[in-house]
Amino acid sequence: MNQEFPIIVTERLILREVATGDAHDMFKYLSDEDVVKHIGLAPFQTIKDAWDEINWYNSIIEEGTGIRWGITLKDVGEIIGSCGFLNMVTKHHRAEVGFELSKDYWGKGIASEALEAVIKFGFNHYQLERIEALIEPANLPSQKLVERQGFTREGLLRHYEYTCGKFDDLYLYSILKGDLNLI
């Protein structure tokens, strides 16, 4: 992944690299308890939290273990969410996908549009064979979102993560390249 950051353009969105100048936009939605309650983060308290998140995005690219795109509307440059891969294992052609979106944009198909584009990019450009999503059982909207994209629930990972002072169960979802027609 030591090349120019890929930009993904969809009908309504531009998925692009997040820069330090986007920290205020990110802080707006990542300080919202409703946005972060199912993604293993405490609501951001300071702008430094957003800078740390951007540094994490940069570190996974440098390590070759992932990539995270900032979600923007074509007519507005503001970052309204993010979507991308983490825990990428190129040897096994698999990665985990994650996403979050500002509450102001929930229910408008934006997360679905971004996720679909990122999934296709992963299969076509990173030669992934399998993409996984780990979702808390209480996070019904994200479960419905990945199921609409063609993901299959494979099982429950009990006490899989320890975040925000508690153990979290997570549903494991996956989609295989062969599940989609990507010709």
Side-chain angles (χ1 to χ4, degrees):
M1 285 193 226
N2 295 334
Q3 49 193 325
E4 190 172 314
F5 194 94
I7 295 172
I8 302 174
V9 179
T10 69
E11 183 180 335
R12 298 180 293 168
L13 308 174
I14 297 175
L15 307 181
R16 63 167 176 83
E17 185 172 17
V18 177
T20 54
D22 296 312
H24 289 282
D25 295 342
M26 291 176 64
F27 179 75
K28 278 192 275 186
Y29 65 84
L30 290 172
S31 61
D32 184 331
E33 185 175 321
D34 290 334
V35 172
V36 300
K37 71 180 170 185
H38 295 300
I39 62 173
L41 294 175
F44 285 10
Q45 301 297 310
T46 68
I47 196 70
K48 183 186 178 307
D49 294 333
W51 290 329
D52 290 344
E53 186 77 357
I54 293 167
N55 287 335
W56 176 71
Y57 293 176
N58 292 331
S59 75
I60 63 173
I61 291 171
E62 289 170 15
E63 295 164 1
T65 60
I67 184 170
R68 196 77 170 200
W69 286 270
I71 301 171
T72 66
L73 298 172
K74 277 187 175 176
D75 55 345
V76 183
E78 175 184 359
I79 297 284
I80 59 171
S82 79
C83 186
F85 299 115
L86 60 153
N87 299 323
M88 188 179 288
V89 184
T90 54
K91 174 183 175 183
H92 297 295
H93 301 272
R94 73 171 179 250
E96 181 184 332
V97 71
F99 49 86
E100 81 279 330
L101 188 65
S102 169
K103 193 165 49 177
D104 295 340
Y105 297 93
W106 288 2
K108 298 179 181 182
I110 291 171
S112 182
E113 189 172 329
L115 181 60
E116 179 180 5
V118 166
I119 290 166
K120 287 179 179 176
F121 192 91
F123 285 138
N124 289 327
H125 296 279
Y126 292 132
Q127 281 66 54
L128 296 175
E129 174 62 22
R130 175 185 172 90
I131 298 173
E132 300 172 344
L134 300 174
I135 302 173
E136 290 185 3
N139 190 349
L140 297 176
S142 288
Q143 292 175 48
K144 290 177 183 175
L145 172 61
V146 298
E147 288 169 359
R148 282 193 307 269
Q149 294 291 332
F151 282 72
T152 299
R153 185 190 302 175
E154 294 184 343
L156 179 68
L157 303 170
R158 299 181 316 142
H159 286 203
Y160 190 73
E161 289 183 340
Y162 185 79
T163 60
C164 302
K166 65 183 178 20
F167 288 100
D168 296 318
D169 293 343
L170 297 172
Y171 282 131
L172 172 62
Y173 283 85
S174 73
I175 189 167
L176 305 179
K177 187 173 187 172
D179 294 341
L180 300 178
N181 295 323
L182 295 174
I183 300 171

